[in-house]
């Protein structure tokens, strides 16, 4: 297995842009967050839950509410994102940790205690295929027996028809959201102008390297995980998980 390629193109401006427009452009964001939380088995007593690339902290906050005895580790490469997440989790005191990391590096993938759940939303596509396969292996090794890896991410379509369908579904979702939140089409138009829809121009930004969903499920199984399954999919955004044998 080759070493993951380092990723460098995401910067603090990208973080602020994502914070500003995520509410419009992330398909069914509330459903995504609720689904990721629902796939995690309730831990017995205290547990460690690690979020990889936590962004502004919306999922971390939901995890803290859902698992009140767990310690939440929120990791990201952006100080803007870590500051936002730290503020949201500050009430947890010692029950939360925020830390800077580069997703392609391996040093952060070791933990003092076995981890009950690793979760990640819209970030694993910053690794190439071999990088994702290696990530799943490293995380599986750090899991407690019965622990789970839950990934929410963009998938690569397997053919042109699939790509166009996901492109259209994403555009339609943003149009609905723009109307729902603001009562107008401005954010639908900005979404197009901004080039946010990955499926319109998949080669536009080298930082985006989604892999086919089928491959990612296989890499989870090859990492020794069981019960590998898909729980939700909309406009190319999929939530899938696998569990370490108990
Ligand atoms: C698309 S945002 C998703 C944020 C959040 N998980 C969510 O779903 O709202 C991608 C996140 O990955 C982080 N990120 C991007 N590239 C990274 C890298 N190479 N190493 C660590 N973090 C990275 C960004 O700072 C950002 O928080």
């Amino acid at each position: 297995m080759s070493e993951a390629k380092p990723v460098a193109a995401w910067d603090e401006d990208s973080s602020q842009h994502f914070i500003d427009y995520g509410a419009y452009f992330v398909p069914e964001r509330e459903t995504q967050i609720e689904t990721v939380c629902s796939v995690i088995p309730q831990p017995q007593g205290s547990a460690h839950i690690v979020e990889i690339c936590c962004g502004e902290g919306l999922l971390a906050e939901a995890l803290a509410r859902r698992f009140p005895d767990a310690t939440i580790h929120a990791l990201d490469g952006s100080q803007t994102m870590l500051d936002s997440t730290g503020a949201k989790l500050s009430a947890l005191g010692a029950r939360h940790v925020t830390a800077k990391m580069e997703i392609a590096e391996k040093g952060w993938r070791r933990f003092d205690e076995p981890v009950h759940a690793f979760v990640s939303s819209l970030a694993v596509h910053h690794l190439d295929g071999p990088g994702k396969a290696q990530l799943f292996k490293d995380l599986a090794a750090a899991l407690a027996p019965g622990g789970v890896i839950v990934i929410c991410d963009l998938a690569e379509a397997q053919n042109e028809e699939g790509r166009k369908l996901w492109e259209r579904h994403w555009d339609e979702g943003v149009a609905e959201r723009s109307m729902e939140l603001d009562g107008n089409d401005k954010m639908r138009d900005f979404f197009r102008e901004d080039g946010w829809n990955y499926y319109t121009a998949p080669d536009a930004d080298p930082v985006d390297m989604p892999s086919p969903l089928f491959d990612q499920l296989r890499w989870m199984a090859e990492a020794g995980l069981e019960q590998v399954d898909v729980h939700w999919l909309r406009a190319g955004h999929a939530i899938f998980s696998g569990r370490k044998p108990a």
Side-chain angles (χ1 to χ4, degrees):
M1 181 71 60
S2 63
E3 186 69 13
K5 274 198 290 187
V7 187
W10 187 282
D11 59 18
E12 300 302 330
D13 288 341
S14 314
S15 290
Q16 194 54 54
H17 198 64
F18 195 82
I19 289 172
D20 291 343
Y21 298 107
Y24 298 94
F25 298 168
V26 176
E28 296 182 29
R29 199 178 213 185
E30 298 79 8
T31 302
Q32 287 188 23
I33 290 172
E34 204 279 323
T35 303
V36 170
C37 291
S38 294
V39 174
I40 300 171
Q42 211 32 258
Q44 306 293 322
S46 62
H48 295 274
I49 297 179
V50 178
E51 182 177 3
I52 299 156
C53 297
C54 57
E56 65 183 291
L58 299 173
L59 175 57
E61 208 176 16
L63 290 165
R65 273 198 303 272
R66 183 90 159 218
F67 304 102
D69 296 326
T71 299
I72 310 295
H73 303 245
L75 314 178
D76 202 282
S78 156
Q79 196 56 49
T80 305
M81 294 304 204
L82 290 172
D83 290 348
S84 170
T85 300
K88 286 188 173 67
L89 297 184
S90 61
L92 298 180
R95 270 210 313 110
H96 87 282
V97 179
T98 55
K100 203 160 190 174
M101 56 65 135
E102 157 56 52
I103 191 171
E105 287 173 2
K106 288 179 69 104
W108 63 267
R109 301 178 190 180
R110 285 187 289 273
F111 295 84
D112 293 340
E113 293 181 57
V115 172
H116 178 67
F118 286 102
V119 305
S120 186
S121 165
L122 310 180
V124 166
H125 67 271
H126 293 309
L127 294 172
D128 62 7
K132 292 185 192 80
Q134 186 62 51
L135 177 74
F136 295 166
K137 273 192 185 151
D138 293 342
L139 300 185
L143 273 181
V148 64
I149 301 175
V150 190
I151 304 293
C152 173
D153 206 7
L154 288 176
E156 184 76 317
Q158 297 275 18
N159 54 44
E160 199 46 17
E161 288 71 24
R163 180 193 66 75
K164 283 186 185 154
L165 187 69
W166 283 348
E167 177 190 26
R168 176 160 58 82
H169 286 173
W170 201 352
D171 282 343
E172 288 171 357
V174 173
E176 279 166 27
R177 193 69 157 179
S178 181
M179 199 49 81
E180 182 188 317
L181 293 181
D182 293 349
N184 60 49
D185 290 333
K186 279 192 189 151
M187 283 299 156
R188 178 201 65 182
D189 297 342
F190 179 61
F191 180 68
R192 301 294 299 173
E193 284 158 26
D194 196 45
W196 189 300
N197 194 331
Y198 168 78
Y199 299 107
T200 302
D203 298 326
D205 190 342
V207 78
D208 295 324
M209 298 177 272
S211 299
L213 184 52
F214 182 81
D215 289 351
Q216 300 191 67
L217 302 176
R218 187 166 46 80
W219 295 330
M220 275 198 170
E222 287 171 1
L225 301 182
E226 295 179 340
Q227 302 174 40
V228 175
D229 212 348
V230 179
H231 310 286
W232 176 90
L233 192 146
R234 173 94 196 257
H237 297 63
I239 297 176
F240 54 100
S241 76
R243 291 189 187 192
K244 187 159 175 165

